Amino acid sequence: MVKLCAKKITSFLIYNEAIDSKESENYEYGFETLIAFLLNIFVILTISCMLNKFKYTLLFLCCYCPIRQYTGGYHADNYKKCLGVFITIYLINLVLLTIINFFDLKEMLIILTFISYVGIWILSPIEHREKPLSDEEINHYKKVSRTLISIVLIFIFMGINSEVIYEYSAYAASSIIWIFIMINLAIIKNRGGIHI
């Protein structure tokens, strides 16, 4: 469905001479990525509304998506699996944050966040199999990802002990942890150890 939509949009733009037909593959890939991203966001936000977690989820996505764009990490083999993995991550995240909150495990959350921060700082960016990066791009992605995770980390440390914004901080922290997990899954997959 995603590929078909991307093809139709690209064909429409070529037909109307809005884009050059020589660039059709690049546009198709770009539209595929955009459609899959929007579908994932729509599904997650719909679930968050049903679970009354919209504001927290929106913050999670605002931290997770831009940083992940620059850090790279695990990518599923197709768009259905990608959506499935993202929904699974989201639901596991909700359960784990509920457990952390219930048992007052703030210290554990802070430790995991800091370990993840250091891991992201050292390991990112992880190249996507379909889009290798030049040395210049690697340096740029590294700088941007380090800047973004540092901003999020400052927000987390400012809010983790505040009753007013604790839950927001916890969701921001979980975004850093999940990005680190996705980086490690990509490393394992690239070595042939994971087939999701």
Side-chain angles (χ1 to χ4, degrees):
M1 178 183 120
V2 171
K3 287 183 184 253
L4 181 63
C5 288
K7 244 184 208 319
K8 286 186 177 186
I9 292 169
T10 304
S11 296
F12 175 79
L13 292 173
I14 290 170
Y15 178 78
N16 288 300
E17 299 178 357
I19 61 172
D20 187 355
S21 61
K22 294 175 188 170
E23 297 291 319
S24 65
E25 283 185 31
N26 291 336
Y27 280 99
E28 279 182 31
Y29 177 74
F31 286 127
E32 279 180 39
T33 305
L34 178 63
I35 292 166
F37 172 76
L38 293 174
L39 181 63
N40 285 352
I41 298 300
F42 174 77
V43 170
I44 295 301
L45 288 177
T46 302
I47 294 169
S48 76
C49 285
M50 292 188 295
L51 299 173
N52 200 26
K53 295 286 185 184
F54 182 81
K55 294 183 293 186
Y56 305 117
T57 301
L58 193 59
L59 178 69
F60 173 83
L61 293 172
C62 286
C63 294
Y64 181 86
C65 294
I67 296 171
R68 180 116 151 76
Q69 180 180 346
Y70 288 98
T71 61
Y74 171 79
H75 287 277
D77 297 329
N78 61 53
Y79 295 115
K80 282 184 185 175
K81 286 182 182 177
C82 180
L83 180 58
V85 167
F86 201 43
I87 290 170
T88 303
I89 285 171
Y90 176 70
L91 294 175
I92 290 171
N93 197 51
L94 289 179
V95 170
L96 291 176
L97 287 175
T98 302
I99 291 168
I100 287 169
N101 194 29
F102 182 78
F103 290 107
D104 194 26
L105 301 171
K106 285 182 196 174
E107 292 80 15
M108 185 184 79
L109 184 63
I110 291 169
I111 291 167
L112 289 174
T113 302
F114 189 71
I115 290 169
S116 299
Y117 174 84
V118 171
I120 293 167
W121 186 278
I122 293 168
L123 297 173
S124 72
I126 301 292
E127 293 179 286
H128 188 280
R129 64 185 177 272
E130 293 181 23
K131 191 183 176 220
L133 302 172
S134 68
D135 289 341
E136 186 178 313
E137 288 173 317
I138 288 171
N139 288 331
H140 174 70
Y141 280 41
K142 192 178 290 279
K143 286 178 189 172
V144 173
S145 66
R146 287 176 174 179
T147 301
L148 292 174
I149 61 170
S150 296
I151 291 168
V152 173
L153 190 70
I154 290 166
F155 169 75
I156 292 164
F157 285 140
M158 284 173 40
I160 203 76
N161 289 316
S162 165
E163 288 183 33
V164 177
I165 61 170
Y166 165 76
E167 200 160 354
Y168 292 102
S169 296
Y171 273 79
S174 70
S175 72
I176 300 278
I177 295 166
W178 278 109
I179 290 167
F180 183 57
I181 290 169
M182 299 306 276
I183 286 172
N184 282 287
L185 287 176
I187 292 168
I188 293 167
K189 183 179 181 181
N190 291 342
R191 291 182 182 164
I194 189 170
H195 302 285
I196 297 174

